[in-house]
Amino acid sequence: MSRPGRDDAPDRLYTLTGGRSRSAPDTPFDLVTLVVAECDPAPGMQSEHTAILRLTERPTAVVEIAAQLRLPVSITKVLLSDLLATGRVSARHPHKAAVIDLDILEQVLVGLRNL
Amino acid sequence: MTPPIPPGERPTLRALVPVPLLTAVLSGLAVGGAVAWAPESVRSVFAWGGGVAALLLTAAVAMGVHAGQTAEILGRRLDTVAQDAGRLLHERARLAEEFSQERARLNDALIRERARLAEEFGRERAALAEEFEQERRRLTADRTRLAEEKAGLAERVRTAESERSAAIAATANAAGRMQALATGTLADLREMEERHSDENVLTDLLHLDHRTAQAGRLADSIAVLAGARSGRRWARPIPMESILRGAMGRIGGYQRVRLHSSSEAAVAGHAAEGVMHALAELLDNGANFSPPTAEVHVYVEEVPSGVIVSVEDAGLVMSDVQLRRAERAVSGEGAGLGGLSGTRLGLAVVGRLSRKHGLKVSFRPSARGGTGVLMLIPQDLLAGASAPAPTPARKGEPAPPVPAPVPTSASPAGPSYAAARAALDMDPDPVPTHESAASPDGLPSDGPPPGDRAPGDPAPGELPSGLPKRRRGHTLATAQARTRNRVTPRPATEPRRADDARTRAARFSSFRSAIRGPVPDQALVQGTATDTPAVRERVPEAVRDDAAVRDTETAREAEAARSTDPVRHDEAAASSPPRPRPQPRQQPHQQPQSQPHPEGDPTS
């Protein structure tokens, strides 16, 4: 593994968002918000936006996008807010009922132990 | 020859006449007397004879008188001439004497004058010789003094030179350490930014990050001017967008910079830092010399000789003189440190960097009202048609190396290490940069179903020669198609239900690890980093597509039942750390890899 700071990208986080580090208070994003792309990436877009649009061709949670982009969640939220403001993505919250299932919880437990 | 006798000196007629006349009278009288006396008979003869004799006598007398007078005249003239000759001789003697006297006098004068001149000359020469000697002594003294001064100056120059080189070395060293500090601080800050999810903390960290980046640029500038090697070396090509953003992040007014780049070029790792730094200085110039609210626009254009980055500001228009000065500064010709001022290091830094990397920088008035700077990044600094996906470039680790074997030459000795790994690692990249001919999921012969492809659309990447060829945009489609395929052949409801449960478990684990953030535990970070995308990619697909495809794809059930469900296999591989366990199950999938597809490779 390369040393930290040696092989990462040269662009700093604040350049991705134009200096913003927090999204507007009314944005709907939390960690599990599912994001779906509404259009294809256009040429000339910021590469993170392109990556997000490609990721969210299927509904994807904010936290997964952040992990995939290797960006902090706040930064990802700012990027998503930009895309949401221009209508390129839409956001919805996942169903709650899906989680309340003993079988699933059991599987979760198995998965956690396997970690 | 006698000179002609002048008329005055001829015997005059009056002096000649009396004597012959007298003679004629007397002889006439004598003849008359004789005739008278003589007999008659001989008188006539006598008369004639006497007459002739008298005439002859008269003529003779006349001749004699004339001769006598002529002789007398000649004698007189002879005397005169003799007197003249004597006088002339006398004169000549006198002149000769005078001449000799004059000559003697002149001789004396000459001798005296010569002596005087010689003496004068001697005096003069002595004086000159003395003067020369004095001058020479003075010059010799001067020379000695100058030699001493020269030695002193040389000593001072040597001292100054060594001091200068020591100072530059110290500066370079200090700048290098400052660079290292800044780089380390930036890395730390990045890590902290990952760790702290509080937005207030993140804001502060980003602020610090920005400040540190500017300090790092200043350290870079000093290092460049001091001749140290540039700060960082990137191990891989840096895409143009990252170059521009890296440059932008190092200046104060980065929020005023607008990037317009759709270029997919990438700058080779060894030159990326220099290019970024030079661009940062140009951007800083543009931002500083334009009004605080004006934007600085950056355009990227790919040309045959490289990539042209133009920085256009709306600030002050540079005059011709300023333009020329700036061009000279950035041409890197004035490589000396002279003329540097403390506040305007930028163009000198750009000059150094462009000379080092062969960049070409030129200035011109901008259409936006300010100044435009063009920077040509030559082709040999570009990493060719680099990996087009910006997303993998942002990741710390590149996509798993999946070689693209030619289908006809697939190794019969079994799957390569990379292919074996690829199935385990599950390329987290949604846009794979390289598609293996033998797809890693072990379903090489499936191909996308005919319904997925528009009629008439040729199989992607199929060349007449059968060699695989990557096409832009097709990789995404094929990746999706393959994912869909992989999910479709799930035969029964029961396994799918278990599968759902398992996928949800995997999802939860990724969710949990993402919430927890990049934990200091490196292994765990790695685990989440590599596992999460794999899960993410498959799970929603499975959830969404199952219902739709299950009905139409029952025909494939038999084929799918032939081998274990790849999705389950992938998830097991992704969610269970002890990886060797699924290894034996891997084998059946990889068997088909070595068999060339009859139609060539449909997925690459």
Side-chain angles (χ1 to χ4, degrees):
Chain A
M1 185 62 195
S2 60
R3 292 201 328 244
R6 168 65 66 183
D7 202 17
D8 54 1
D11 30 15
R12 314 299 304 169
L13 288 181
Y14 51 87
T15 58
L16 309 189
T17 63
R20 293 163 297 161
S21 57
R22 63 186 79 202
S23 43
D26 56 344
T27 47
F29 297 109
D30 61 10
L31 290 180
V32 292
T33 307
L34 290 180
V35 182
V36 189
E38 295 291 338
C39 65
D40 286 334
M45 287 174 81
Q46 197 177 340
S47 63
E48 287 76 19
H49 286 172
T50 307
I52 288 176
L53 288 182
R54 286 191 179 145
L55 281 174
T56 56
E57 282 167 2
R58 297 174 293 275
T60 310
V62 170
V63 66
E64 289 187 5
I65 298 172
Q68 182 73 31
L69 295 181
R70 305 202 165 193
L71 292 174
V73 177
S74 305
I75 300 291
T76 312
K77 281 186 196 170
V78 173
L79 293 173
L80 285 172
S81 307
D82 292 344
L83 286 173
L84 186 70
T86 54
R88 290 198 163 97
V89 299
S90 59
R92 67 178 171 84
H93 283 273
H95 297 297
K96 292 228 169 87
V99 189
I100 312 173
D101 188 348
L102 282 181
D103 189 15
I104 294 171
L105 289 180
E106 193 179 340
Q107 295 295 334
V108 166
L109 200 57
V110 171
L112 288 178
R113 279 178 185 151
N114 282 341
L115 279 178
Chain B
M1 182 182 281
T2 55
I5 299 164
E9 292 182 358
R10 286 174 190 263
T12 56
L13 188 58
R14 210 175 35 183
L16 286 180
V17 170
V19 176
L21 199 55
L22 188 59
T23 308
V25 172
L26 289 177
S27 57
L29 287 175
V31 166
V35 166
W37 185 74
E40 210 51 53
S41 62
V42 266
R43 202 174 275 180
S44 69
V45 177
F46 199 71
W48 286 103
V52 170
L55 277 178
L56 283 175
L57 182 64
T58 303
V61 168
M63 289 290 294
V65 168
H66 181 262
Q69 283 190 351
T70 302
E72 185 185 358
I73 286 172
L74 283 178
R76 270 205 311 270
R77 283 192 59 196
L78 188 61
D79 284 348
T80 311
V81 167
Q83 279 174 3
D84 281 350
R87 207 160 34 86
L88 283 175
L89 278 177
H90 183 71
E91 188 77 2
R92 201 182 70 173
R94 193 178 55 83
L95 282 177
E97 188 178 355
E98 276 181 12
F99 177 71
S100 68
Q101 281 175 359
E102 189 70 9
R103 200 172 61 174
R105 198 174 53 79
L106 285 176
N107 246 345
D108 285 351
L110 175 68
I111 288 169
R112 269 202 314 277
E113 192 70 9
R114 203 170 62 178
R116 192 180 60 79
L117 284 176
E119 184 185 0
E120 207 166 300
F121 178 70
R123 250 199 336 267
E124 191 86 357
R125 203 171 63 171
L128 282 176
E130 188 176 351
E131 206 168 314
F132 173 73
E133 190 64 27
Q134 280 177 2
E135 192 73 7
R136 204 175 64 170
R137 275 198 299 276
R138 198 172 58 78
L139 286 176
T140 310
D142 278 359
R143 200 181 65 176
T144 318
R145 193 168 49 79
L146 284 176
E148 286 169 5
E149 272 179 20
K150 197 180 102 178
L153 283 177
E155 183 63 29
R156 280 177 59 191
V157 164
R158 258 198 309 279
T159 315
E161 195 68 32
S162 67
E163 278 174 2
R164 177 181 175 276
S165 55
I168 283 187
T171 309
N173 191 2
R177 279 157 56 195
M178 278 164 61
Q179 279 180 321
L181 269 180
T183 307
T185 311
L186 286 176
D188 292 349
L189 281 170
R190 179 63 190 256
E191 200 179 319
M192 292 179 205
E193 283 157 11
E194 306 274 355
R195 193 185 310 147
H196 297 286
S197 57
D198 185 355
E199 288 185 343
N200 291 322
V201 178
L202 184 62
T203 308
D204 292 346
L205 286 175
L206 290 184
H207 183 69
L208 280 181
D209 197 335
H210 184 208
R211 293 290 172 117
T212 312
Q214 292 179 73
R217 176 168 69 91
L218 189 56
D220 284 347
S221 293
I222 297 173
V224 165
L225 289 177
R229 66 179 194 80
S230 77
R232 303 189 55 175
R233 307 233 163 204
W234 303 95
R236 58 193 159 73
I238 304 292
M240 190 51 72
E241 188 187 32
S242 287
I243 293 274
L244 294 179
R245 287 202 298 223
M248 184 175 122
R250 301 176 186 194
I251 72 169
Y254 72 94
Q255 281 162 319
R256 296 196 274 131
V257 177
R258 296 282 175 274
L259 304 180
H260 310 273
S261 162
S262 56
S263 169
E264 290 183 350
V267 179
H270 67 93
E273 183 67 23
V275 171
M276 235 184 292
H277 188 190
L279 260 179
E281 296 293 345
L282 293 178
L283 284 176
D284 193 37
N285 260 5
N288 280 342
F289 289 102
S290 55
T293 55
E295 294 179 344
V296 176
H297 290 262
V298 181
Y299 301 91
V300 177
E301 185 188 355
E302 295 188 19
V303 293
S305 57
V307 168
I308 289 182
V309 182
S310 60
V311 178
E312 310 258 348
D313 65 42
L316 302 170
V317 182
M318 295 170 83
S319 68
D320 282 349
V321 178
Q322 285 171 315
L323 281 177
R324 276 201 299 275
R325 193 177 301 154
E327 298 234 340
R328 204 173 56 236
V330 300
S331 67
E333 285 168 4
L337 292 177
L340 279 184
S341 72
T343 53
R344 298 217 181 166
L345 302 176
L347 291 185
V349 171
V350 175
R352 290 287 187 98
L353 288 172
S354 40
R355 194 154 102 163
K356 177 178 175 190
H357 293 298
L359 310 171
K360 290 187 180 61
V361 182
S362 59
F363 292 82
R364 58 174 171 73
S366 165
R368 294 185 173 274
T371 302
V373 191
L374 299 181
M375 185 168 100
L376 171 68
I377 305 171
Q379 195 71 47
D380 52 355
L381 293 188
L382 300 179
S386 66
T391 323
R394 291 192 39 79
K395 295 195 176 81
E397 52 169 14
V402 183
V406 180
T408 53
S409 68
S411 147
S416 67
Y417 169 74
R421 256 192 82 75
L424 294 176
D425 279 354
M426 284 319 295
D427 180 5
D429 189 6
V431 188
T433 56
H434 299 286
E435 276 291 317
S436 160
S439 58
D441 57 12
L443 290 176
S445 55
D446 269 358
D452 281 12
R453 208 180 291 154
D457 189 6
E462 208 174 44
L463 285 180
S465 64
L467 292 178
K469 181 172 182 293
R470 211 169 44 131
R471 284 191 202 164
R472 184 163 303 197
H474 280 236
T475 50
L476 181 61
T478 52
Q480 288 169 3
R482 202 155 17 91
T483 312
R484 204 167 295 133
N485 266 345
R486 212 180 308 127
V487 176
T488 49
R490 192 161 298 120
T493 329
E494 185 54 35
R496 189 172 66 83
R497 181 168 167 71
D499 202 35
D500 270 355
R502 201 169 297 183
T503 59
R504 285 181 189 159
R507 238 173 104 192
F508 179 76
S509 76
S510 74
F511 168 70
R512 191 197 61 146
S513 58
I515 280 187
R516 197 190 289 163
V519 206
D521 181 4
Q522 194 65 23
L524 189 48
V525 172
Q526 284 309 304
T528 55
T530 48
D531 289 346
T532 306
V535 176
R536 187 214 51 75
E537 177 151 17
R538 266 89 204 174
V539 171
E541 188 65 36
V543 173
R544 196 172 55 176
D545 287 341
D546 263 358
V549 194
R550 200 170 0 128
D551 311 336
T552 63
E553 295 289 5
T554 43
R556 294 185 178 272
E557 284 180 9
E559 184 190 0
R562 168 177 59 87
S563 62
T564 321
D565 187 357
V567 174
R568 268 189 325 195
H569 164 244
D570 293 336
E571 283 159 3
S575 59
S576 60
R579 280 182 181 166
R581 189 168 54 84
Q583 193 72 32
R585 296 172 59 190
Q586 176 82 16
Q587 285 310 113
H589 301 296
Q590 289 175 351
Q591 275 317 105
Q593 284 183 5
S594 54
Q595 301 167 357
H597 193 276
E599 312 170 359
D601 185 73
T603 59
S604 60

